[in-house]
Amino acid sequence: MAFNIRVYGILINEDNEVLLSDERRLGQKFTKFPGGGLELGEGIKDCLIREFKEELEIAIEVGTLFYLTDFYQKSAFGKNDQIISVYYFVLTDQIHDIKTSKIAFDFSEEEFESHRWKKIEELKKEELTFPIDQLVAKMLIDKNH
């Protein structure tokens, strides 16, 4: 068994919308928060900065820690991996540079990722695919009320 450390950013705009990432990998479609896997020799915050640069082509500032996985979660992809996810609030002054869609999974066959804003008060935890993201979505919803 190996640990798979994932780092995600919660980016909220001026309309109280959170940024979601719709992706296709290994034949599966899923919705999650933007971010990805920690690479060997990389710091957690550096990972998040890199992921936003790669996926969204924006620079971010990593804010406060929002959640760190506190239960066992088996990986959906690596059958022998345990997932540990870290969620930070993130800020950017390039929020209007983010290419988004109003439609989930709005990408071509050659592409594998698109992004969209979702009002937190309209967010349903079931819209996110993975159990840890669902928990974080519920925490965001509860925090918003």
Side-chain angles (χ1 to χ4, degrees):
M1 177 173 277
F3 291 105
N4 185 338
I5 300 173
R6 316 292 297 170
V7 188
Y8 298 103
I10 299 170
L11 180 60
I12 299 172
N13 68 17
E14 63 274 3
D15 296 322
N16 205 36
E17 298 170 317
V18 65
L19 189 65
L20 300 178
S21 181
D22 297 309
E23 301 183 19
R24 178 184 56 229
R25 300 219 196 293
L26 303 172
Q28 286 185 268
K29 283 185 174 180
F30 49 88
T31 300
K32 63 180 195 60
F33 294 101
L38 182 71
E39 295 178 357
L40 188 62
E42 186 174 47
I44 290 174
K45 290 182 179 182
D46 292 332
C47 170
L48 194 53
I49 291 166
R50 175 185 52 77
E51 287 286 342
F52 268 75
K53 191 69 169 164
E54 289 175 2
E55 294 179 10
L56 295 153
E57 299 177 354
I58 63 167
I60 60 161
E61 179 183 325
V62 179
T64 59
L65 177 67
F66 184 66
Y67 179 73
L68 172 63
T69 307
D70 58 2
F71 60 93
Y72 171 75
Q73 181 62 54
K74 183 177 175 181
S75 173
F77 299 103
K79 301 291 185 230
N80 295 320
D81 288 358
Q82 178 177 344
I83 299 294
I84 298 171
S85 295
V86 184
Y87 296 80
Y88 283 97
F89 284 110
V90 298
L91 305 166
T92 184
D93 58 5
Q94 296 177 283
I95 207 155
H96 299 291
D97 296 335
I98 300 171
K99 181 183 172 202
T100 60
S101 175
K102 299 212 179 283
I103 303 165
F105 304 103
D106 190 17
F107 47 75
S108 69
E109 278 301 311
E110 298 81 37
E111 298 173 310
F112 58 89
E113 185 171 22
S114 62
H115 298 89
R116 61 190 162 95
W117 294 106
K118 181 73 179 194
K119 288 202 174 290
I120 295 174
E121 61 265 16
E122 296 173 4
L123 183 64
K124 305 277 186 270
K125 70 176 186 144
E126 296 79 16
E127 292 179 72
L128 288 110
T129 305
F130 303 115
I132 304 171
D133 287 328
Q134 290 177 351
L135 174 66
V136 169
K138 183 180 181 326
M139 291 171 65
L140 267 178
I141 294 162
D142 291 348
K143 185 179 188 296
N144 197 55
H145 286 121

